[in-house]
Amino acid sequence: MTDSSELEPGRPGPVPARSGHHNLDPHLDRYAARTAGMTASEIRALFAVASRPEVVSLAGGMPNLAALPLDSLSTQMAELIAEEGLVALQYGSAHGVPALREQICEIMAMEGISAHPDDVVVTVGSQMGLDMVTRLFCDPGDVVIAEGPSYVGALGSFAAYQAQVVHVAMDENGLDPAGLTEALVQAEKQGKRVKFLYTIPNFHNPAGVTLAVQRRAEILEICARHGVLVVEDNPYGLLGFDGQIYPALRASDPDNVVYLGSFSKTFASGLRVGWVLAPHAVKEKLVLAAESATLCPPTLNQLVVSRYLATHDWKGQIKTFRENYRERRDAIIGALEQHMPAGCSWTKPDGGFYVWVTVPEGVDTKAMLPRAVTARVAYASGTGFYADGFGSRQMRLSYCYPTPERIREGVRRLAGVLESEMDLVRTFGNVTARAVQGPQSPSPDTA
């Protein structure tokens, strides 16, 4: 047996532990500095328990796919392989399948966007698009403006590229223009470089609110005046419960807005097909970034989506999704009104997947989460949706996946846990969970 003092010349020895520490990870000293802020989503550690059938999960943003025409889709996929298998199973272009890019332009036209297929880059879900945009524009220390709260996956990408996130508050009409102006002015005074505004204008994740139409031009004008790009993330735009489709920010300012879209919420999330519509010069760099990240998006998945759009009543399918989600939204709002204790408030979304709940002073939703899972209900605590550890009094409830009956039961259980938590606060005072350092990495349960 040979100890470390007898290693052969030139043979690498073990990585020494940092002074005073025993490292369980022998690679700890090799990681890039940017990994220091990477933390797993709060729910992920509890997900093995939360995913049990007896637990009502109001945490994840999984679409309800039960309404899809699975028999027809299975036949379609078999035909696709038989007829186009040599193309579908081969490498493709990093730019994306041309026919699908043309169809994407037709979809965006419903939001007032006039686009050329050459300026569309197909991605492996819109998360990849967001990551590439951040990679292209953000150097370490650059500032990204984002709504507070904001999407977990966006915050994770910004942290991975060591960008600083400055949150701007929202109200029932979405992003506050005055708050945006103040944030930009303060950044300029401090000599910081603001690269872009990241916004989810329609049926916001996690807040559930929509940017008022009259504010949209004002937001664009503010960003243009300060020389700031706008990144518009719009996965829920076609899922308004009354059928209303809001005008995209990109429609009004094509030269200063990068638009992110996805089929995950309107067709099938497992196919992981999204896209980026960007100004032409930006598009060229996005294609290069896509080549280095994935070489090319899966051709098979793109052709499945393209054939679905060409042969199915996809607009009727979206209408069915809207009706299903509206029924679930009504179930969760009714249950909150019936069961939640005094001092709670929540948003009432007009589309999308989420309700944002604020609980009484003194209750920490992150600290309460394990007790909620013990009571067989799960949610996403608010701290994961802020880059600065804020949000301990908030939680995101997702109503898209469970049945209305399960939603009502889940809210009933959650209200009981919250009542007990409020009793503890009244008896022992506030107990705050240790703040998470840095934003959390995204996962399907926090999408």
Side-chain angles (χ1 to χ4, degrees), residues 203-222:
F203 321 124
H204 188 274
N205 177 10
V209 299
T210 294
L211 181 63
V213 172
Q214 60 269 27
R215 285 189 179 181
R216 299 187 179 217
E218 186 175 2
I219 294 296
L220 290 171
E221 191 278 327
I222 291 169

Side-chain angles (χ1 to χ4, degrees), residues 131-188:
D131 190 85
M132 291 195 307
V133 169
T134 310
R135 174 180 166 191
L136 289 182
F137 284 99
C138 289
D139 291 315
D142 285 343
V143 171
V144 171
I145 304 290
E147 291 130 342
S150 190
Y151 167 51
V152 169
L155 299 181
S157 287
F158 304 153
Y161 294 102
Q162 297 172 286
Q164 177 189 350
V165 175
V166 173
H167 287 296
V168 175
M170 291 183 288
D171 57 24
E172 66 275 12
N173 293 311
L175 182 68
D176 174 30
L180 174 61
T181 298
E182 181 180 358
L184 291 171
V185 169
Q186 286 300 316
E188 290 168 359

Side-chain angles (χ1 to χ4, degrees), residues 2-18:
T2 304
D3 64 27
S4 60
S5 65
E6 298 172 330
L7 291 172
E8 299 172 8
R11 179 180 175 183
V15 177
R18 291 174 180 168

Side-chain angles (χ1 to χ4, degrees), residues 28 31-39 159-160 162:
L28 186 62
Y31 293 130
R34 61 180 170 272
T35 65
M38 291 183 177
T39 56
Q162 297 172 286

Side-chain angles (χ1 to χ4, degrees), residues 16 56 62 70 80 85 89 134 176 193 319 329 339 437 439:
V56 178
M62 294 187 299
L70 297 181
L80 176 61
L89 301 178
T134 310
D176 174 30
R193 301 176 68 199
K319 182 175 183 292
R329 187 279 313 269
H339 296 295
Q437 297 301 310

